[in-house]
Amino acid sequence: MELNNDMSPLVFSRKGRILIVDDMQVNIIILRQLLSQEYEIATALSGQEALALCHSFKPDLLLLDIEMPGMSGFEVCRRLKSEPGTQEIAVIFVSAHHDEEQEVSGFVLGAVDFIHKPLNAVVTQARVKNQMLLKRQSDLLRFMLEQEATRDVSS
């Protein structure tokens, strides 16, 4: 959910946006089937493509594979979190490994959660729903604080 000074409450009623990033098309298909009824979905097959889409599609949430050729999911996350225009995008890593060290690395980089492959539909949908709710509430709070600050300055 993009937040800017001319945001109206109507923006909060739109579907949330999710960018699914995985080099394996089958994983993208599965995630799209699980989430497309509730959310607007865009997909990318590489880290470079994901970075470009983050600027044009402006997702609220990124479902990001860790192991991809070229640029890893960790590098994508690091770059997103280092840019003011993309640092608020929530990142959930999707991984075939149940490696605590990878999870720690992901959280240090700024990820909000992990989903493990093979995907469980209920777990995946619940984690996405929870993060989208948190993102929406955070954006609304930020919007309200900006409105209050604007009123205080103009008074």
Side-chain angles (χ1 to χ4, degrees), residues 136-152:
R136 194 165 289 248
Q137 290 172 340
S138 174
D139 286 350
L140 182 57
L141 181 58
R142 194 175 302 112
F143 173 74
M144 291 168 61
L145 289 171
E146 285 179 3
Q147 293 301 304
E148 186 65 28
T150 302
R151 271 194 292 267
D152 289 347

Side-chain angles (χ1 to χ4, degrees), residues 19 43-54:
L19 175 57
T43 62
L45 293 168
S46 70
Q48 283 298 116
E49 187 181 2
L51 292 173
L53 275 169
C54 283

Side-chain angles (χ1 to χ4, degrees), residues 51 64 66 71-80 93 109:
L51 292 173
L64 183 58
I66 293 174
M71 184 184 303
S72 74
F74 287 144
E75 180 60 18
V76 172
C77 185
R78 187 191 66 71
R79 290 186 188 192
L80 290 174
F93 280 114
L109 287 170

